[in-house]
Amino acid sequence: MKQYTIAILGATGAVGTQMLQCLDEQEIPVGELRLLASARSAGKTVEFRGQTVTIQEARPEAFEGCDFVLGAADDAIAKELLPEAVKAGAVVVDNSHAFRMDPDVPLVVPEINGADVAWHKGIIANPNCATIIGLVPTWPLHQLAGVTRMVVSTYQAASGAGAPGMQELEAQMAALGRGEELPEPRAFAAQLVSNLIPQIGGFKEEGYTSEEMKLQNEGRKIMHLPELRVNCTCVRVPVLRSHSESITLEFERDITLEEAREALAAAPGVKLVDDREAEDAHDRFPMPIDTSDQDLIWVGRVRRDISNPEPNRGITFWCCGDQIRKGAATNAVQILRLLIG
Amino acid sequence: MKQYTIAILGATGAVGTQMLQCLDEQEIPVGELRLLASARSAGKTVEFRGQTVTIQEARPEAFEGCDFVLGAADDAIAKELLPEAVKAGAVVVDNSHAFRMDPDVPLVVPEINGADVAWHKGIIANPNCATIIGLVPTWPLHQLAGVTRMVVSTYQAASGAGAPGMQELEAQMAALGRGEELPEPRAFAAQLVSNLIPQIGGFKEEGYTSEEMKLQNEGRKIMHLPELRVNCTCVRVPVLRSHSESITLEFERDITLEEAREALAAAPGVKLVDDREAEDAHDRFPMPIDTSDQDLIWVGRVRRDISNPEPNRGITFWCCGDQIRKGAATNAVQILRLLIG
């Protein structure tokens, strides 16, 4: 089997570290592995499939001879370095926001628009985490009845702010647990433990945040629905690494609850957990503690939208998915898997 | 000034204890105070305005001579004992669910339908906490443009399950902070710390929970809107005592964002905290840590609903309010204040 030279840019962060694990889990045939990070991390070593890999400083020269580059760095570094990887002949799958809305760059969730990888020009973008987690279960319902409108409230985990966000929440929980004064917030704008922060990203058009607009803008591009209307409210919650979303959909055509449930139960990437009779809460509905460190989007609380003036045109559900895995690393490596075939 | 004999039924719980404090803060002219609880608590003493009050066992005889009874007990105790209070000649303001939908019982949020106290027949009901917190800011917008539909996702605090719920979350945070195994959940169906539980109450019509249906059923009665359609998703979050809600409203008539903001800024019981330019996150939007142990509903993130097909018929906002105070005790004592005049 052909072996590929693969680089991870930003290999030491929460997403980069998870990408490494996903390469192994998804059985990607890795020949040479290059782990690229800031000069600060260069020289450290990481184990991969029984080999010790030394982290290198991320510089343009590091991409020479690469077949694929997985991007897990921030927007600025992605913009600076990834075009160099393309020039060096590599195909890039990038998790940053830098290229997502570029009309020359496919934005891909394999369960939805895997075929879009075909028209890439060197870069394929990985969508925003909340976008992926909300769209994976929306897609099978769209295929049934044509989604026209989404009203979404998110419950987003600390991991969305990377390893520093998770460490900050853990430190706050520990301080609270020991009855000590909470450390000053740095990763977030305010204390997160026992609190909610209803702003993720900067304010953009009409008072929506950048994170809130991603679901509409990226959703339109991924689902090929330029007219899709999305009202999103993004809220940071004191949960470590699974995002949850409360989603209300409106459709062009009638859709019954039974059809919706059947489509969700059969959809790739989805696990339906929606047993109202179950004794154990873990079987009754999805919860973040159950969906952490696995790859599926769990969907439950599926019901008719009783507020929709047209009785069979609305469905409401709740979903949870691991922010670092399917929200980022897993999806990126699934795109790589599509490219390799 | 006339002094009243007032009893609190369920005086030792989270809401009952808060009612006592609210009686003092709202300067209710209390002559004799009777604190009623289970036999277990009888004999304990509580301080009120410099006097020591001994807790009595809640029995029908305890209501003799009472002018008013504040109910802070559960549904079963309310149903058993409060009709005895009415028979004894007292007027009852009850926080339980027992009488809320009874057509002979006004269900009152003073900022909205204070005038409804006039037709009581001995019992006035205090609405559900999430209902009060969501409706106080919805009401001024309804007055402007006529609300027809609400899509609501809640972020509900542990205090909604009373003192045992708060103690359970605190014990879980402490165990996590000390790196110990979490105690078995009792107040909630699963671990709440670093988790979300998307079910509050039992499952009712069409898969909505009892808590979710309250917003529609109680909202219709309080706002005198029998056709109001509400789609609510209620979620328990690891926050101690403030509920938050993400609310999308649809209207009969056009409403501009400016009109909506002006109405909210002027509305009784509401504090508008919505300054996108503010340096400090605490001035930018409402958060549960800032709204705990005070009486107003804080509203922010007010914006046009960009998903509504009619551009000026939708408003979206975020609000937070103290669950024990305005969600329960404060509202009940405000009703008592209306009765006393």
Side-chain angles (χ1 to χ4, degrees):
Chain A
M1 200 205 294
K2 185 165 164 30
Q3 304 281 307
Y4 299 93
T5 298
I6 296 178
I8 299 177
L9 174 66
T12 54
V15 173
T17 305
Q18 184 65 62
M19 280 172 169
L20 195 65
Q21 200 180 335
C22 290
L23 283 176
D24 186 40
E25 290 171 0
Q26 294 191 38
E27 300 179 347
I28 303 294
V30 181
E32 188 187 336
L33 179 68
R34 298 187 194 162
L35 300 180
L36 312 179
S38 64
R40 197 163 31 100
S41 296
K44 292 181 186 165
T45 60
V46 170
E47 296 295 304
F48 180 73
R49 291 181 179 163
Q51 309 262 313
T52 301
V53 184
T54 304
I55 292 169
Q56 307 172 43
E57 187 182 347
R59 307 163 123 257
E61 306 84 72
F63 300 121
E64 303 219 341
C66 276
D67 297 298
F68 298 106
V69 176
L70 294 171
D74 64 27
D75 290 7
I77 293 171
K79 269 185 199 157
E80 184 197 331
L81 285 178
L82 292 177
E84 301 295 328
V86 176
K87 268 189 225 159
V91 176
V92 170
V93 181
D94 179 38
N95 190 52
S96 84
H97 182 64
F99 306 104
R100 286 182 192 151
M101 298 312 294
D102 184 328
D104 283 337
V105 172
L107 180 67
V108 174
V109 179
E111 292 88 342
I112 301 175
N113 65 330
D116 280 343
V117 299
W119 54 267
H120 80 78
K121 295 173 181 171
I123 300 179
I124 296 164
N126 206 43
N128 177 49
C129 47
T131 304
I132 297 173
I133 291 165
L135 291 191
V136 165
T138 294
W139 179 248
L141 304 180
H142 165 68
Q143 287 179 294
L144 273 180
V147 67
T148 56
R149 181 185 183 192
M150 304 176 67
V151 178
V152 179
S153 295
T154 72
Y155 302 65
Q156 294 185 231
S159 61
M166 296 172 79
Q167 285 154 11
E168 182 158 309
L169 176 58
E170 283 176 324
Q172 289 178 357
M173 290 197 290
L176 205 72
R178 291 192 298 256
E180 294 167 6
E181 204 177 325
L182 297 194
E184 199 63 29
R186 290 171 179 275
F188 301 112
Q191 169 189 330
L192 184 57
V193 70
S194 198
N195 196 27
L196 306 164
I197 305 175
Q199 180 191 354
I200 302 179
F203 287 112
K204 300 285 175 185
E205 51 267 57
E206 304 217 28
Y208 286 79
T209 65
S210 56
E211 185 83 357
E212 288 163 354
M213 291 311 299
K214 285 173 188 173
L215 193 51
Q216 173 166 298
N217 296 334
E218 297 183 12
R220 287 175 174 183
K221 182 168 177 175
I222 294 162
M223 298 200 290
H224 302 176
L225 288 173
E227 308 291 323
L228 179 69
R229 299 185 314 276
V230 182
N231 172 357
C232 187
T233 299
C234 287
V235 181
R236 188 75 70 193
V237 301
V239 164
L240 273 179
R241 62 175 283 177
S242 264
H243 283 0
S244 303
E245 303 183 26
S246 167
I247 299 184
T248 295
L249 300 178
E250 293 186 18
F251 297 95
E252 273 177 331
R253 302 181 295 280
D254 280 3
I255 178 171
T256 67
L257 181 60
E258 292 63 36
E259 289 169 331
R261 291 176 55 94
E262 272 172 36
L264 287 165
V270 169
K271 179 174 172 177
L272 186 64
V273 179
D274 193 16
D275 179 0
R276 289 174 207 160
E277 310 297 324
E279 269 291 306
D280 189 335
H282 301 270
D283 301 323
R284 228 180 293 150
F285 38 68
M287 293 188 284
I289 41 168
D290 292 330
T291 59
S292 292
D293 208 19
Q294 58 78 51
D295 286 330
L296 300 174
I297 309 303
W298 294 25
V299 180
R301 299 299 322 276
V302 186
R303 55 212 198 276
R304 200 173 70 83
D305 173 10
I306 56 172
S307 79
N308 192 309
E310 301 210 53
N312 295 310
R313 294 283 171 94
I315 293 287
T316 287
F317 62 87
W318 166 260
C319 63
C320 305
D322 187 275
Q323 187 274 331
I324 306 174
R325 281 184 169 267
K326 185 57 183 172
T330 298
N331 197 74
V333 177
Q334 286 170 333
I335 293 170
L336 180 59
R337 174 43 76 206
L338 285 178
L339 290 165
I340 289 173
Chain B
M1 201 205 294
K2 185 167 166 26
Q3 303 281 307
Y4 299 92
T5 298
I6 296 177
I8 300 177
L9 175 66
T12 54
V15 172
T17 305
Q18 184 65 63
M19 280 172 169
L20 195 66
Q21 200 180 335
C22 290
L23 283 176
D24 186 40
E25 291 171 359
Q26 294 191 38
E27 300 178 348
I28 303 294
V30 181
E32 188 186 338
L33 178 68
R34 298 186 194 163
L35 301 180
L36 312 179
S38 65
R40 195 163 33 98
S41 297
K44 292 182 186 164
T45 61
V46 170
E47 296 295 305
F48 180 72
R49 292 181 179 163
Q51 309 263 314
T52 301
V53 184
T54 303
I55 293 170
Q56 308 172 43
E57 187 181 349
R59 309 162 121 257
E61 307 83 72
F63 300 120
E64 303 219 343
C66 277
D67 296 298
F68 298 105
V69 175
L70 294 171
D74 65 27
D75 290 6
I77 294 172
K79 268 185 201 158
E80 184 197 331
L81 285 178
L82 292 177
E84 301 295 328
V86 176
K87 269 187 224 159
V91 176
V92 170
V93 181
D94 179 38
N95 189 53
S96 84
H97 182 64
F99 306 104
R100 286 184 191 149
M101 299 312 295
D102 184 328
D104 283 337
V105 173
L107 181 65
V108 174
V109 179
E111 292 88 342
I112 300 175
N113 64 331
D116 280 343
V117 298
W119 55 267
H120 79 79
K121 295 174 180 169
I123 301 180
I124 297 164
N126 206 44
N128 178 49
C129 46
T131 303
I132 296 174
I133 291 165
L135 291 191
V136 166
T138 294
W139 179 247
L141 304 180
H142 165 67
Q143 287 179 296
L144 273 180
V147 66
T148 56
R149 180 184 182 191
M150 305 177 68
V151 179
V152 179
S153 295
T154 73
Y155 302 65
Q156 294 184 231
S159 61
M166 297 172 79
Q167 285 153 11
E168 182 158 308
L169 176 59
E170 282 175 325
Q172 288 178 357
M173 290 196 290
L176 205 70
R178 292 192 296 256
E180 293 167 6
E181 205 178 325
L182 297 194
E184 200 63 28
R186 290 171 178 276
F188 302 112
Q191 169 189 330
L192 185 56
V193 70
S194 199
N195 196 27
L196 306 164
I197 305 175
Q199 181 191 355
I200 302 179
F203 288 111
K204 300 284 175 185
E205 50 268 57
E206 303 218 28
Y208 287 78
T209 65
S210 55
E211 185 83 357
E212 289 162 353
M213 291 311 298
K214 285 173 188 171
L215 193 51
Q216 173 166 299
N217 295 336
E218 297 183 12
R220 287 175 173 183
K221 182 168 177 175
I222 295 164
M223 299 201 288
H224 303 175
L225 289 173
E227 308 292 323
L228 179 70
R229 298 186 313 275
V230 182
N231 172 356
C232 187
T233 300
C234 289
V235 181
R236 188 76 68 192
V237 300
V239 164
L240 273 178
R241 63 174 282 176
S242 263
H243 283 0
S244 303
E245 303 183 25
S246 167
I247 299 184
T248 294
L249 300 179
E250 293 186 18
F251 298 95
E252 273 178 331
R253 302 181 294 279
D254 280 2
I255 178 170
T256 67
L257 182 60
E258 293 64 36
E259 289 169 331
R261 291 177 56 94
E262 273 172 35
L264 287 166
V270 169
K271 179 174 172 177
L272 186 64
V273 179
D274 193 16
D275 179 1
R276 289 174 209 160
E277 310 297 324
E279 268 292 304
D280 189 335
H282 301 269
D283 301 323
R284 229 180 293 151
F285 38 69
M287 292 187 285
I289 40 169
D290 293 330
T291 58
S292 292
D293 208 19
Q294 58 77 51
D295 285 331
L296 300 174
I297 308 304
W298 295 26
V299 180
R301 300 297 324 275
V302 186
R303 55 211 198 276
R304 199 173 70 82
D305 172 10
I306 56 172
S307 79
N308 192 309
E310 301 211 51
N312 296 310
R313 295 283 172 93
I315 294 287
T316 286
F317 62 88
W318 167 260
C319 63
C320 305
D322 187 274
Q323 188 273 331
I324 307 174
R325 280 183 170 266
K326 184 59 183 173
T330 297
N331 197 75
V333 177
Q334 286 170 334
I335 293 170
L336 180 59
R337 177 37 81 204
L338 285 178
L339 290 165
I340 290 174

